[in-house]
Amino acid sequence: MPFLGQDWRSPGWRWVKTEDGWKRCEPFSPALEDGSNQLNDISHTVILTGDDDDEEIYSTEDCEFAAKKRKKDHFRNNTNSQCFYRENWIYVHKESTRERHGYCTLGEAFNRLDFSSAIQDIRRFNYVVKLLQLIAKSQLTSLSGAAQKNYFNILDKIVQKVMEDQYNPRLIKDLLQDLSSTLCILIRGVGKSVLVGNINIWICRLETILLWQQQLKNLQMNKQVNNGLTLSDLPLHMLNNILYRFSDGWDIITLGQVTPTLYMLSEDRQLWKKLCQYHFAEKQFCRHLIPSEKGHIDWKLMYFALQKYYPIKEQYGDTLHFCRHCSILFWKDTGHPCTASDPNTCLMPVSPQHFIDLFKF
């Protein structure tokens, strides 16, 4: 008879990399463990209710049931943002084996990879936002109910972070626009599409999205009071070097609105030509040549024209990685319990679109 148990490649524990190697940590916090011990001790005590004269002694089974219920409520009240998991890696399996039944879904991976903490890291912020945008466009209905709840909790944290830090509001506006368009279509087609939960919940979520859009529309940037060196005090060659570091055309336009000098530098034809050559192949922009009034190629207009037909290259400070040896998806700086002799040769960066494609069957 075959052994049916937990897969040795994913034992369900949280592992932390230390100087002495990988060590297993308890999945719950010490405070929660103390609470669990207290709940377990209830089954061995007598519970007094009512007046002093009236005593009701509960059986051991009743006490155990009450303890489990209180423990479940404790989880429910303290895990609004990231379900029950805090792992930074997950084993991706696409078929059933004798050791593990079922397969890994997009919603399960979304819950397990702790995106709530990832948005606090500026290197991962754009990556998570882009992933949420792709899910909003095509994969929202494929998420489980818990994953959908987690999705909107993370989105709430993102909006609050943008309102407080005023970091990249344009990116969040695009995400909310795509999400509101998707929800409008799904709500109108109730019965034809799969929406987990009551229709009133989704209407409430749509209203919340519209409220967020209004808040971002009214967002006012705080003026920085600084008597020291400013961006305008830098020499022209340094300002030009900064503009050449941008990979997004809208960021160049936004920076060009700060001062007349930056505007002049942001209109440089060579700058936009380098941007087109970075994002698109020569065959692509040769098909869409846009000459200016002087007969020269308008590289700025051509960049935005090509953007409508072809995807641009994406740059992220930090991304998820996939280990081909272990079939584990993880954040690179946290690592994972790899069994390969040379783990670095097995790593593959995962773009937001590749993340979604990993769970398509």
Side-chain angles (χ1 to χ4, degrees), residues 4-35:
L4 298 178
Q6 288 184 332
D7 189 350
W8 63 272
R9 292 164 293 187
S10 180
W13 292 91
R14 183 185 178 193
W15 296 81
V16 177
K17 191 174 185 180
T18 63
E19 296 179 355
D20 300 329
W22 287 90
K23 291 186 177 181
R24 191 177 70 186
C25 294
E26 296 296 333
F28 311 124
S29 62
L32 184 56
E33 290 180 354
D34 295 339

Side-chain angles (χ1 to χ4, degrees), residues 249-262:
W250 284 110
D251 291 336
I252 295 176
I253 292 177
T254 302
L255 185 59
Q257 296 173 351
V258 176
T259 63
T261 302
L262 286 171

Side-chain angles (χ1 to χ4, degrees), residues 82 90-94 103-115 127 131-132 134-148 150-151 320 329 350-361:
Q82 194 56 33
I90 184 174
Y91 174 69
V92 180
H93 55 288
K94 294 188 175 182
Y103 51 87
C104 184
T105 64
L106 176 64
E108 183 181 358
F110 187 77
N111 284 341
R112 295 284 295 269
L113 286 172
D114 197 10
F115 287 105
Y127 182 88
L131 177 60
L132 264 63
L134 292 177
I135 292 176
K137 289 181 178 180
S138 60
Q139 301 296 321
L140 190 61
T141 55
S142 66
L143 298 180
S144 63
Q148 289 176 355
N150 191 24
Y151 179 95
L320 287 168
L329 192 64
V350 177
S351 67
Q353 184 60 55
H354 187 198
F355 177 88
I356 294 177
D357 293 340
L358 279 175
F359 303 98
K360 288 183 178 180
F361 304 100

Side-chain angles (χ1 to χ4, degrees), residues 57-95:
I57 303 177
Y58 290 91
S59 64
T60 303
E61 292 78 6
D62 294 336
C63 294
E64 290 179 352
F65 176 79
K68 291 180 180 178
K69 186 176 185 304
R70 289 181 59 186
K71 187 175 180 180
K72 182 178 180 181
D73 293 340
H74 181 86
F75 276 121
R76 184 177 300 169
N77 295 333
N78 290 277
T79 54
N80 292 329
S81 61
Q82 194 56 33
C83 293
F84 310 129
Y85 305 100
R86 294 179 181 271
E87 288 87 349
N88 292 312
W89 58 270
I90 184 174
Y91 174 69
V92 180
H93 55 288
K94 294 188 175 182
E95 58 184 8

